[in-house]
Amino acid sequence: MTPGARVQAAIEVLDLIVAAARAKGAPADRILADWFRTRRFAGSKDRRAVRELVYRAIRACGEVPTSGRAAMLLIARQDPAVTALFDGVGHGPAPIGADEVSAAPGTAPAWLEAALAQSGIESATMTALLERAPLDIRVNALKADRAGIDLPVAGERLAAPQGLRLPPDTAVEQWPAYQQGQIEVQDGGSQLTCQAVAAAPGETVVDLCAGAGGKTLALAAGMDNRGRLIACDVDRARLARLTPRAERAGAVQIEERLLNPQREAEALADLAGQVDAVLIDAPCSGTGTWRRNPEARWRLTPAELDRLTAVQSRLLDVAAALVKPGGRLVYVTCSLLDAEGADQIAAFLARHSGWCAVLPQLGAGRPRGAGLRLDPRHDGTDGFFVARLEPI
C-alpha cells in the first residue's frame, strides 16, 4: 500500500468505528481485525501503519467525529506530512476542500471532561489517559516467581509483587512461559487492586463480577490453590473464557457460577454471611482504560453512566450480605469518576451503618473519599478506584 492508500484505509476503518460507537457496536480492535482479515493485500507494515493512524485519530478527537475523514483531517491539520497525502492520487484520499471542517480536538466529549474535572482529574492526567499503554504481566505464583523466572525480556519491576512491565507490542503470547501458564497479561494497577483483597489460603472468596477471570486468577495465586474461590458473572460467554485460562494457570480450586441479572442474591443465598472476602470488579464506564480503549469515551452517555452507578450500588448491597463477621468487601472500578468511586462508597456507608471503610495500603495511589485512586500520570497504571469495606 502507498502512504496515501494507508490514510484512505484509516479513513474507512474510522467510519466503521464511529458508526459502531454510536450504535454501541463492536470495539475498535475487533473492527480493525475484521477489516484486515478481508484485505489480504495489506502486509504487516501496512497493518501497523493503518492501526497507528486510526488510533492517533481516535485519541485526537474529543467529541465523536462526524466521519472518518473529519477525524483524519484533524491529524492532517496537525501534521503537514499527512496533509500532503490528501492528493487524490491512486488510492489516496481526495484533496482537502477549502470549506472542509475537521473534527474538533479534545480529551473527551464536553460533558465527560466536565465530570472528570469535577472529580478532581486535572488536565495533565486527562492527557495521560490517552497516551499509549505499556504491556504489564503478572508472574503466576502458582507456577513461578518474579525473582527467578527466565523470560526473553527481563522487564521492569512494578509495585505489584509479581508485576513486570514490558515494551508495548511484546508478543508474550508466543513465549513458552505464557503458554505454560507462568505469566498472565494484567495491568499493574489491576494487580494492586487484587492485593487489596488479601485473599489467603483456606479462605472462602467470591469474585462477584469475574468476567474472563483476570483478577480471579490473581486471587487464586494468592490463595495457593487452598480454600474456596467462587467466580461469578452474568455473562455466560465471558465466564466461559475463564476455564481454559484457569487450566493453563493451574488454578484448580475455582468454582464458576453464572448469575441472573437482578437476581444475584438468590444464586448466592447459600453463601450469605459465610464469605471471608468479596471482590466487586464492578461494571463501569471504563474511563480509566482509555489508554487501551480510547474510543470508549465516545460510547459513554449520561444515561449509561446513571445505569452503571445503579448496578454498582445494587452489587454492593448484594456483596455485603455475603460477608461474615471479620471479613471484608473490596470494591474496584476502572473509572476516575467520583460517581463510580468516592460517591458510591459514601452512599454505601450511609445505607449500611454497620460498616466502615479501611484505606487500602498498596504503595501507590492517593486517597479519594474513603478509597484510593490510581491513574496513569501519577502511578503509571490504568485508572482505578479501590475501596475496602469491613463490617463493624
Side-chain angles (χ1 to χ4, degrees):
M1 297 174 69
T2 66
R6 290 170 175 173
V7 173
Q8 181 58 35
I11 289 172
E12 294 174 12
V13 173
L14 284 164
D15 278 330
L16 297 173
I17 291 171
V18 168
R22 290 178 176 145
K24 304 296 189 291
D29 57 352
R30 190 185 310 163
I31 290 171
L32 268 163
D34 290 345
W35 194 89
F36 287 131
R37 190 175 298 114
T38 59
R39 290 161 176 82
R40 299 294 185 182
F41 59 83
S44 60
K45 291 183 179 179
D46 297 322
R47 293 194 297 271
R48 186 180 306 111
V50 172
R51 184 178 292 108
E52 288 176 356
L53 284 167
V54 166
Y55 278 104
R56 183 179 175 187
I58 292 173
R59 289 185 170 97
C61 300
E63 302 285 347
V64 184
T66 56
S67 66
R69 183 175 172 90
M72 193 53 62
L73 283 175
L74 175 59
I75 301 303
R77 306 289 190 202
Q78 301 168 348
D79 187 343
V82 176
T83 305
L85 299 176
F86 281 77
D87 56 11
V89 176
H91 295 286
I96 301 172
D99 298 327
E100 274 198 274
V101 178
S102 67
T107 303
W111 77 271
L112 191 45
E113 279 195 18
L116 285 166
Q118 290 167 5
S119 299
I121 301 300
E122 301 171 345
S123 59
T125 301
M126 292 190 205
T127 299
L129 282 170
L130 293 174
E131 295 172 352
R132 193 176 185 192
L135 176 65
D136 295 347
I137 61 172
R138 175 181 55 80
V139 178
N140 176 17
L142 293 174
K143 291 191 171 186
D145 186 80
R146 184 173 71 177
I149 193 168
D150 183 19
L151 299 174
V153 179
E156 170 195 350
R157 291 195 173 200
L158 301 178
Q162 296 289 353
L164 291 169
R165 175 156 295 168
L166 305 171
D169 296 330
T170 303
V172 296
E173 292 86 355
Q174 299 176 15
W175 291 358
Y178 179 86
Q179 296 163 359
Q180 295 165 11
Q182 294 179 325
I183 60 173
E184 290 283 342
V185 176
Q186 187 178 20
D187 177 76
S190 177
Q191 296 180 47
L192 287 173
T193 64
C194 293
Q195 292 296 308
V197 180
E203 290 190 321
T204 298
V205 179
V206 172
D207 186 351
L208 191 58
C209 308
K215 291 184 176 66
T216 310
L217 295 178
L219 298 177
M223 298 173 71
D224 195 27
N225 269 338
R226 288 179 284 157
R228 191 177 181 194
L229 177 55
I230 302 133
C232 310
D233 207 88
V234 297
D235 188 324
R236 184 186 298 275
R238 282 170 56 84
L239 193 60
R241 294 201 290 272
L242 171 57
T243 300
R245 295 182 70 188
E247 290 175 353
R248 187 177 70 242
V252 299
Q253 93 275 31
I254 298 174
E255 306 172 30
E256 297 176 14
R257 288 198 191 187
L258 182 66
L259 307 180
N260 290 324
Q262 307 286 338
R263 301 178 62 182
E264 295 91 348
E266 295 178 24
L268 298 167
D270 61 308
L271 298 172
Q274 300 180 39
V275 176
D276 294 285
V278 179
L279 170 63
I280 306 176
D281 183 14
C284 70
S285 64
T287 53
T289 67
W290 290 350
R291 298 189 303 172
R292 305 174 194 281
N293 308 293
E295 87 280 7
R297 65 204 206 281
W298 295 346
R299 296 168 177 265
L300 188 63
T301 64
E304 175 66 4
L305 181 59
D306 288 343
R307 184 191 72 80
L308 288 166
T309 55
V311 171
Q312 294 158 7
S313 178
R314 181 171 55 78
L315 290 175
L316 277 162
D317 292 342
V318 169
L322 303 179
V323 179
K324 71 182 186 181
R328 65 269 186 204
L329 190 170
V330 174
Y331 172 83
V332 177
T333 62
C334 47
S335 172
L336 297 177
L337 295 171
D338 280 345
E340 301 180 280
D343 294 350
Q344 193 68 264
I345 297 305
F348 173 86
L349 293 172
R351 293 194 306 273
H352 297 269
S353 59
W355 286 73
C356 67
V358 178
L359 196 67
Q361 302 299 312
L362 303 182
R366 283 145 310 288
R368 185 71 181 178
L372 283 180
R373 192 160 67 186
L374 293 83
D375 68 64
R377 178 189 172 203
H378 296 96
D379 306 294
T381 69
D382 285 350
F384 287 96
F385 175 86
V386 54
R388 176 169 165 146
L389 304 163
E390 298 180 0
I392 298 173

